[in-house]
Structures are given as C-alpha cells and as structure tokens.
C-alpha cells in the first residue's frame, strides 16, 4: 500500500522560506537520498491566497510504510534534515496518509 508523508510548514508572510532552494535543491536531495529505500516521488506547492497559515506543503510518496521507515532511519536523513534548516527556520510537521 503506497504511503504519503505530508510535510507542512506553518507561518505567515513574515516567516523566512527559500522557495528556490526548496524546489531546486531540497527536493532533488530528497529524491537522491531516499529513492534507494523505496521513494516513489516527491514534490511540493505553495498555497495561494490566505493559505490557512501554511507557507508550503510537501508530499513524499513511498512504496509502502516499510520503505518510508527505512528512508527516515537511513544515514542520508541527517543531510536531508540539515538542508531544511537552509530553507527555513520553521519547524516542519509530518503527517501520514495511507493510500489503497
């Protein structure tokens, strides 16, 4: 069963967020780091208008829950998380969506 990890960044227009780095550096790093563990795809978007307090939303799709756990527990995850600190000081929140 495919599983999606939603990664949300909450804040307002004053919160620093490097969009170019997130799209052009961070997501390629995520793909390179986690594809060997079962990553299927990764991407993100920026809510328009009010955004309900969200700056950005990332979606990271894994083959299954075991693949997600393997990726998150891999040595490469430290580099992925360190790169988030380059993008923003906002602490990302993760939630999991299981797909049939």
């Amino acid at each position: 069963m495919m599983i999606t990890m939603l990664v949300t960044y909450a804040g307002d227009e004053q919160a620093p967020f490097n969009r170019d780095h997130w799209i052009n550096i961070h997501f390629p790093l995520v793909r390179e780091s986690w594809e060997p563990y079962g990553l299927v795809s990764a991407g993100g978007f920026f809510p328009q208008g009010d955004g309900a307090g969200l700056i950005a939303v990332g979606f990271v799709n894994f083959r299954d829950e075991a693949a997600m756990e393997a990726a998150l527990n891999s040595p490469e995850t430290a580099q992925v998380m360190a790169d988030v600190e380059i993008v923003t000081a906002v602490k990302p929140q993760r939630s999991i969506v299981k797909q049939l």
Side-chain angles (χ1 to χ4, degrees):
M1 171 185 334
M2 181 128 73
I3 192 161
T4 298
M5 180 173 60
L6 292 176
V7 183
T8 55
Y9 298 85
D12 60 22
E13 64 277 351
Q14 302 301 315
F17 196 94
N18 187 332
R19 290 178 172 213
D20 287 336
H21 186 96
W22 195 57
I23 295 297
N24 298 312
I25 306 295
H26 186 70
F27 278 113
L29 174 63
V30 167
R31 290 183 201 102
E32 178 184 323
S33 298
W34 291 345
E35 279 178 350
Y37 300 98
L39 176 74
V40 175
S41 63
F45 68 93
F46 306 102
Q48 295 295 317
D50 148 352
L54 291 177
I55 301 169
V57 178
F59 49 92
V60 186
N61 298 302
F62 292 95
R63 180 182 60 238
D64 54 29
E65 193 165 354
M68 181 187 70
E69 291 298 326
L72 291 175
N73 290 313
S74 72
E76 292 86 353
T77 295
Q79 184 179 5
V80 170
M81 297 312 294
D83 192 64
V84 169
E85 294 177 11
I86 295 170
V87 174
T88 184
V90 173
K91 179 90 170 151
Q93 299 298 311
R94 286 187 257 180
S95 56
I96 306 303
V97 177
K98 294 182 181 181
Q99 301 175 17
L100 298 176

